[in-house]
Amino acid sequence: MKNILLGIIAICFCPMLYFSCGKPAGKSPVTISSDLQEGFKNPTGTARAKVYWWWMNGYTDSIRIKEELLAIKNAGLGGVDIFEIGFRPDGMVPSGPPFMSDASLKHLVLAIREATRLGLEVGLNLSSSWNAGGTWIQPEHGAKSLYYSKTKMNAASGAGLALPFSDVLKKDERGKAPAVQLTADGKPAYLKEVAVLAIPARKEGQYLDTASIVNVSAYFDQNKEVLNWKAPAGDWDIFRYVCVSTGELLKLPSPNSKGLIIDHFDSTATRVHFEYFIKKLKPLLGDFTKTALKNLYLASFEATGTIWTPTLPAEFKKLHGYDVNKFLPALFDKEIFGPIVSPDFKRDFELTVSELMINNHYRKGKEIANQYGLALISESGGPGPPLHNVPVEGIKALGALDVPRGEFWINHSRFDHKPDSVDLLMLVKEISAASHIYQRKITELEAFTSFQNWQEGPGDMKPNGDRAFCEGMSRPVIHGFSHNPNGVGYPGIYYAAGTHFNDKTTWWPKVKPFNDYLARVSYIMQQTDFVADVLYYYGDQTPNFVTPKNTRFAVGSGYDYEIINTEILLRELTVKNGLLTLPYGAQFRVLALGEISGKNPALLEKLEKLLKAGAVITGSMPTALTGKNKDRARSLWSTSGFYSSEKKIFTTPSGEILRSMHIGPDFDYPDKQSARLDYMHEDQPALDYIHQKKGGQDFYFVRNTGKEWVSRLCTFRQKGKTPQLWDPVTGQVSPLPVFNQTNKGIEIPLTLPPFGSYFIVFNDKKPGDHYTAIAASSSVDIEYSENGMLFHKNGSYTLKSGESSKLDVNVRSVPVSGPWNISFTKGWGAPESAVLPELISWTKSPDEGIRHYSGSGMYDKEFTNGLKAKEDERVFLDLGEVARVAEVWLNGKSLGIAWTKPYRFDVTKELKEGKNKLRVEVINTWSNRIIGDITSSKKYTKTNLNVRGSRELLWTETPLLPSGLIGPVQLNTVKVLK
């Protein structure tokens, strides 16, 4: 076995020493794929984020539809998903026409045609709110459930026993009755008999034997509702099972759009629903492929009740080889058949339900959409339990779509820190895994959902967005942009959840650089392929869901993993040259097994085949095994350590196996600050990463997880390549003139600002002259730019190449101090102009109008510059603290928009000797003005969200947010080394 492992090591990684000789002659060579570089600087198409476009209560305005689409285009977004939703009847959001009525279609078609003209992409949610359904759905196509009635019987009862109908209106433990639709005779509008079972009366605590159950359905007269069966001796319980349309309605429809949700497990119901939309839209739009309408969208599944559909018995028998009817009692009493039979039936039933939903809803929906040139997008795998009972194998359900979608939240009180939790608010890793293994290029995420109203600026959204990128997101769908008809005031009407991201948001005029940032990261994520060392099989249980990165499963610090499900493992996973290989080229060194039942002979056979082909596999052996499965499992698992001489499945952790194979971390750095790997809000490590690859280029997206500056010597497991830094905030591609090849990889000193992030890119060209190391009297703090290395901190630096050289940095700083003139937008409570003796947050002003002001504050300052840059220096303007975004002009020239730290600008060319004019426009959020209006007799704002600042706090309890230019503002010299 040792020889086999050494062979694998040689194939996987052949480290070598690399030493650079001679002094750097200039910048490191920059050789990059021109198409990727250009696409990164100016991303287009699907790289651009979309927004949920909320049409609340179906109340829309044709003029504002056009204005909003233009605002979306100009803000650098790529499209919209139209999502009609209901809102509470508070009088501020009027009721529009029924969804998909002629009046509703008029504005839908207008929006699609206008988006076509602007080159935007449109998706359409297939209901007013969620789940799938509408006013057009009849009970036979609506959601269904299984109900039963119980009647006592014995031999003396005789034939013709009346079997009462189930009490379908029985209230649950919370006192809520199902909304079952009834006909005039009191029967459900849709009713189908399923089975009548005779069960011997049992003593309490006694398990039921299926052999004692008699299926007496053939003796039941459905018209007369009597059972013509003569019972044998003894007491019997007669159960009559019926399938009934539950009457479950859409979750939050507009007032005139209340309708049934569909039977998500019935292909006919899916077809009826999809074709309703097609038949309504196609005569008005013609060929969809010539319009902006590209996608149909199904929101997450959040239906309730016991799942049943008329085709379930046939599907169950096809999958498992036995009839479901005798096991129906287990759907209502989970322990009725005992600890051996009940779990097996439960597993078989849940697998059947999952297959029905995947095939009859998601695959069928995709098939219909594709027939008309449309793609299907859905959150088909979640969010899963405990929030919602989504009855599917998550990855397989997502793989049935054209574009899988998940979601992540920011600033939510239910954010879960438990390392083994599903973490409902970061459903990303599952979606990216499905995209990868099913070869879907885009991983969409409902992004930045929040219950905090107007609390965030773009910089506050970035940390969670970067975490999602590090789990594999490749396109955010920002939640959300609420449609605001004319005359509703400011900030206007909004859906209750979601970051409020529309053209009535205060900082909207400055939002494009943030959208450019998202697009640049998305572009690289879409154009490249994910790289990981370990392939994690997440088990064969159903339902099944993936937890966030490094929670339920983790390889170890600096390692990443892909996730595979049963379908792809059985169908497509092979071994080539000792590496686990998928058809699209992804390769892995170790297969790690999650929890498996051992009840699937095909799975055990596949593992045996992979072992024989040379795969390295680790994981616990299933325990609840019987018969041949038990014997086979025993033959597959090793009873000794990783270096067993046999080809076996080990129980050694995957990270330990990699280290035994001399496969070091793909990304490493000292002083991680935390041993935890879950990247939650508590005790998170300093840096996070994801590794992507295309051709000869490797892309590492590295993010600072904290609010302080971080400098680390980072090691990337690369060999003989040349690194560059691609900055998604600016779009600049810069050389990295300091790096060193070691036997562990390429070392690069990196400094990242608070919550900062970069792509570190390695190309195939042989490295040229460069420095191999840098040391400093304190911490190494370097900014890499197109102008060279920039040193922002005082200190003595030692740079090494063939020989050492010293660099002394003496930063000179001049404060831009004294009073500032500031002007505010008229009509929002603040004086039109004021003089600030010093920079403070607006919330600390003695003027109440300034304390509660929301909007733009324009700072003007004339100052005398006595700071002159030397030949090897540049001058930066540092604004200090800014809340929330700023645009800066110096001597009449715009320096750009700053939306994330550091709020600083290179002003070397714009700064003049003597008098200079500085102008800084700072914009906060709507929060402070709304808080002020709550206690003021004069109202400036108008919104439907006028009660709560968040789910947790009323507006009267919500603290004011720091606002404005807080500073300190100063000019700093920066040492430049080219």
Side-chain angles (χ1 to χ4, degrees):
M1 184 64 180
K2 287 185 178 180
N3 290 335
I4 294 173
L5 291 175
L6 289 173
I8 294 172
I9 294 166
I11 293 165
C12 296
F13 184 66
C14 183
M16 61 176 291
L17 296 175
Y18 176 83
F19 296 95
S20 173
C21 300
K23 208 168 191 177
K27 295 182 182 179
S28 296
V30 179
T31 55
I32 45 185
S33 172
S34 59
D35 58 330
L36 276 181
Q37 181 182 353
E38 184 56 35
F40 173 73
K41 289 183 176 181
N42 301 292
T44 59
T46 59
R48 291 280 164 185
K50 298 187 290 186
V51 292
Y52 278 164
W53 196 12
W54 294 112
W55 288 11
M56 290 190 298
N57 284 356
Y59 176 59
T60 53
D61 178 309
S62 60
I63 294 174
R64 285 290 292 151
I65 283 174
K66 291 182 177 182
E67 289 177 351
E68 288 176 351
L69 284 171
L70 182 60
I72 285 166
K73 176 70 174 181
N74 291 338
L77 294 164
V80 299
D81 280 349
I82 299 173
F83 205 138
E84 183 179 296
I85 197 81
F87 196 83
R88 58 177 176 264
D90 57 4
M92 187 169 178
V93 187
S95 301
F99 184 52
M100 297 303 291
S101 65
D102 289 346
S104 168
L105 283 166
K106 181 179 178 181
H107 280 178
L108 280 173
V109 170
L110 170 68
I112 293 168
R113 286 177 175 162
E114 186 66 10
T116 304
R117 186 183 70 82
L118 292 171
L120 294 170
E121 177 185 328
V122 174
L124 177 63
N125 180 51
L126 296 184
S127 66
S128 178
S129 77
W130 72 99
N131 300 278
T135 55
W136 49 89
I137 299 300
Q138 298 303 310
E140 63 264 32
H141 297 133
K144 302 174 182 69
S145 192
L146 192 68
Y147 298 86
Y148 73 92
S149 63
K150 178 180 175 182
T151 306
K152 295 289 186 182
M153 186 180 190
N154 56 36
S157 300
L161 178 68
L163 299 185
F165 185 76
S166 170
D167 182 7
V168 297
L169 299 180
K170 183 179 179 181
K171 296 181 180 179
D172 61 20
E173 62 273 9
R174 294 175 296 178
K176 184 178 180 181
V180 176
Q181 290 179 284
L182 304 177
T183 57
D185 61 0
K187 295 289 180 68
Y190 174 87
L191 166 65
K192 184 177 177 63
E193 300 288 343
V194 175
V196 179
L197 303 181
I199 300 176
R202 296 179 300 129
K203 297 179 181 178
E204 187 175 349
Q206 182 182 11
Y207 293 134
L208 181 61
D209 184 350
T210 55
S212 65
I213 299 174
V214 182
N215 188 336
V216 295
S217 304
Y219 300 97
F220 179 60
D221 186 331
Q222 297 183 20
N223 294 323
K224 296 180 180 179
E225 298 186 272
V226 296
L227 179 64
N228 297 308
W229 178 67
K230 186 175 182 181
D235 294 325
W236 295 79
D237 292 326
I238 308 300
F239 288 82
R240 177 187 175 188
Y241 293 94
V242 294
C243 174
V244 171
S245 174
T246 63
E248 184 168 354
L249 300 172
L250 297 166
K251 286 293 182 184
L252 198 62
S254 58
N256 294 314
S257 304
K258 296 176 182 177
L260 295 174
I261 68 169
I262 70 167
D263 181 345
H264 292 71
F265 310 89
D266 177 16
S267 62
T268 301
T270 298
R271 179 171 290 281
V272 166
H273 184 59
F274 272 69
E275 289 189 345
Y276 180 84
F277 284 85
I278 300 297
K279 290 174 182 177
K280 285 275 189 174
L281 290 167
K282 200 163 191 335
L284 301 173
L285 293 172
D287 184 354
F288 295 139
T289 63
K290 296 179 181 178
T291 74
L293 183 63
K294 304 299 180 187
N295 310 300
L296 301 179
Y297 175 61
L298 295 168
S300 55
F301 177 78
E302 299 177 22
T304 59
T306 301
I307 293 168
W308 193 267
T309 194
T311 60
L312 190 148
E315 182 70 12
F316 186 94
K317 188 165 187 179
K318 183 178 78 172
L319 289 173
H320 308 296
Y322 66 97
D323 289 327
V324 70
N325 287 343
K326 281 195 175 185
F327 292 86
L328 295 181
L331 297 178
F332 302 93
D333 182 352
K334 295 179 180 178
E335 307 298 327
I336 194 168
F337 292 118
I340 297 177
V341 176
S342 289
D344 285 350
F345 168 71
K346 180 176 183 289
R347 177 178 177 274
D348 291 346
F349 184 83
E350 289 175 338
L351 177 61
T352 305
V353 168
S354 178
E355 289 296 290
L356 282 168
M357 189 175 196
I358 291 170
N359 292 324
N360 292 347
H361 188 51
Y362 297 119
R363 283 206 175 107
K364 178 58 68 173
K366 177 180 180 294
E367 172 191 311
I368 296 167
N370 292 172
Q371 287 175 359
Y372 296 94
L374 300 171
L376 181 63
I377 301 174
S378 180
E379 288 185 63
S380 60
L387 184 61
H388 302 301
N389 179 30
V390 186
V392 294
E393 192 243 281
I395 291 180
K396 187 174 183 179
L398 291 159
L401 308 165
D402 292 296
V403 181
R405 183 180 293 177
E407 65 179 89
F408 70 89
W409 290 60
I410 57 176
N411 303 326
H412 195 294
S413 62
R414 290 182 63 181
F415 198 90
D416 198 335
H417 303 295
K418 297 177 182 178
D420 59 348
S421 169
V422 171
D423 184 0
L424 309 171
L425 310 179
M426 184 56 66
L427 187 71
V428 183
K429 187 72 172 174
E430 174 176 273
I431 320 305
S432 64
S435 292
H436 300 158
I437 67 174
Y438 284 94
Q439 301 178 60
R440 311 291 192 249
K441 202 60 184 173
I442 297 176
T443 301
E444 284 193 355
L445 269 295
E446 173 193 307
F448 310 114
T449 306
S450 171
F451 278 134
Q452 296 191 342
N453 296 317
W454 295 287
Q455 303 294 295
E456 303 97 8
D460 303 302
M461 299 160 69
K462 183 179 187 292
N464 290 70
D466 285 350
R467 179 185 167 190
F469 280 128
C470 281
E471 293 202 22
M473 174 174 72
S474 68
R475 192 180 197 186
V477 184
I478 299 171
H479 183 341
F481 190 116
S482 292
H483 172 67
N484 270 251
N486 272 318
V488 297
Y490 284 87
I493 59 175
Y494 290 83
Y495 181 50
T499 294
H500 306 317
F501 196 84
N502 70 351
D503 61 346
K504 289 203 165 190
T505 300
T506 50
W507 38 259
W508 183 264
K510 314 294 184 186
V511 79
K512 188 175 185 297
F514 172 63
N515 292 331
D516 290 343
Y517 171 83
L518 296 176
R520 291 187 185 109
V521 183
S522 296
Y523 174 78
I524 296 300
M525 296 296 291
Q526 289 179 24
Q527 294 296 318
T528 56
D529 297 314
F530 176 58
V531 177
D533 289 299
V534 174
L535 186 62
Y536 173 60
Y537 172 57
Y538 82 152
D540 59 348
Q541 62 267 38
T542 306
N544 201 0
F545 301 93
V546 177
T547 61
K549 176 178 164 182
N550 294 332
T551 51
R552 181 195 293 174
F553 174 79
V555 181
S557 178
Y559 298 98
D560 210 340
Y561 59 97
E562 184 63 280
I563 305 168
I564 194 171
N565 66 345
T566 305
E567 180 179 47
I568 299 299
L569 187 147
L570 292 180
R571 190 177 71 199
E572 298 185 354
L573 187 61
T574 60
V575 179
K576 293 182 180 179
N577 300 322
L579 297 178
L580 295 138
T581 304
L582 287 168
Y584 57 93
Q587 293 190 305
F588 310 91
R589 309 172 198 277
V590 179
L591 173 63
L593 304 178
E595 182 181 349
I596 58 176
S597 67
K599 304 270 175 100
N600 185 349
L603 177 58
L604 296 176
E605 182 181 339
K606 179 70 176 195
L607 294 176
E608 184 176 33
K609 184 177 180 181
L610 293 172
L611 282 172
K612 288 179 178 178
V616 177
I617 306 177
T618 184
S620 299
M621 184 171 72
T623 55
L625 294 173
T626 57
K628 292 181 179 180
N629 287 340
K630 186 174 184 179
D631 294 337
R632 171 167 264 170
R634 284 178 172 174
S635 71
L636 293 177
W637 262 265
S638 172
T639 56
S640 56
F642 178 53
Y643 284 103
S644 167
S645 60
E646 299 175 289
K647 291 183 178 179
K648 296 281 188 177
I649 299 175
F650 306 104
T651 55
T652 308
S654 54
E656 187 177 328
I657 289 176
L658 290 171
R659 289 188 291 273
S660 298
M661 298 164 65
H662 305 296
I663 307 299
D666 190 21
F667 171 71
D668 201 11
Y669 58 98
D671 188 14
K672 295 177 175 59
Q673 297 180 344
S674 172
R676 284 178 56 154
L677 297 169
D678 54 20
Y679 305 109
M680 302 290 186
H681 286 320
E682 298 176 352
D683 302 321
Q684 56 198 0
L687 301 176
D688 187 14
Y689 86 104
I690 188 170
H691 180 183
Q692 302 282 128
K693 186 178 181 67
K694 182 175 184 180
Q697 290 181 288
D698 287 85
F699 294 78
Y700 289 80
F701 182 69
V702 179
R703 74 178 182 103
N704 177 0
T705 67
K707 59 184 178 181
E708 304 297 335
W709 285 83
V710 168
S711 293
R712 293 291 186 274
L713 181 62
C714 299
T715 301
F716 301 84
R717 198 174 63 208
Q718 295 292 320
K719 181 180 61 177
K721 291 192 173 185
T722 300
Q724 299 95 28
L725 185 147
W726 294 24
D727 185 350
V729 172
T730 64
Q732 290 184 3
V733 173
S734 303
L736 285 170
V738 184
F739 61 95
N740 184 42
Q741 181 76 62
T742 73
N743 61 349
K744 293 182 179 180
I746 296 178
E747 293 179 342
I748 302 173
L750 290 177
T751 299
L752 290 93
F755 298 115
S757 53
Y758 298 122
F759 280 106
I760 306 302
V761 183
F762 296 86
N763 64 49
D764 272 342
K765 186 162 184 180
K766 183 179 178 181
D769 290 337
H770 59 276
Y771 296 105
T772 57
I774 185 168
S777 54
S778 56
S779 63
V780 176
D781 186 345
I782 315 173
E783 178 184 352
Y784 300 105
S785 77
E786 293 177 320
N787 296 312
M789 285 191 288
L790 306 181
F791 296 83
H792 290 269
K793 278 187 177 180
N794 288 330
S796 178
Y797 294 83
T798 302
L799 294 105
K800 296 181 181 179
S801 54
E803 57 188 53
S804 296
S805 59
K806 294 282 188 179
L807 179 70
D808 292 321
V809 177
N810 181 23
V811 173
R812 289 168 290 134
S813 297
V814 176
V816 180
S817 55
W820 291 73
N821 296 317
I822 183 170
S823 56
F824 298 99
T825 304
K826 184 179 180 180
W828 290 101
E832 289 188 47
S833 63
V835 177
L836 301 179
E838 60 181 357
L839 293 174
I840 57 172
S841 169
W842 299 342
T843 57
K844 297 190 177 191
S845 171
D847 187 304
E848 182 180 346
I850 296 176
R851 281 202 307 275
H852 290 111
Y853 177 77
S854 290
S856 166
M858 190 71 76
Y859 293 78
D860 285 287
K861 176 79 174 173
E862 189 173 275
F863 66 94
T864 301
N865 171 44
L867 194 62
K868 186 175 181 180
K870 299 177 183 178
E871 188 175 340
D872 61 349
E873 289 181 334
R874 300 189 75 80
V875 180
F876 274 70
L877 172 69
D878 192 328
L879 299 182
E881 289 294 321
V882 171
R884 290 294 201 253
V885 297
E887 184 171 5
V888 181
W889 294 262
L890 182 60
N891 297 320
K893 181 178 179 181
S894 174
L895 303 179
I897 294 169
W899 57 272
T900 186
K901 292 182 179 179
Y903 300 100
R904 66 189 184 196
F905 301 85
D906 186 336
V907 295
T908 309
K909 294 181 179 180
E910 291 77 16
L911 191 65
K912 299 187 299 186
E913 289 188 45
K915 296 292 184 182
N916 286 263
K917 291 184 178 180
L918 177 63
R919 168 166 277 205
V920 182
E921 182 183 13
V922 181
I923 304 177
N924 65 346
T925 76
W926 280 114
S927 182
N928 292 350
R929 183 65 272 165
I930 297 172
I931 293 169
D933 284 7
I934 296 297
T935 57
S936 172
S937 58
K938 190 171 183 180
K939 308 297 181 187
Y940 298 92
T941 57
K942 187 178 181 183
T943 179
N944 57 327
L945 302 181
N946 53 14
V947 177
R948 310 195 72 87
S950 63
R951 175 166 279 191
E952 294 75 40
L953 298 176
L954 297 169
W955 278 119
T956 53
E957 302 167 323
T958 302
L960 294 173
L961 292 177
S963 299
L965 177 59
I966 301 170
V969 178
Q970 56 189 19
L971 294 168
N972 301 317
T973 60
V974 175
K975 190 79 168 182
V976 180
L977 181 63
K978 295 186 178 181

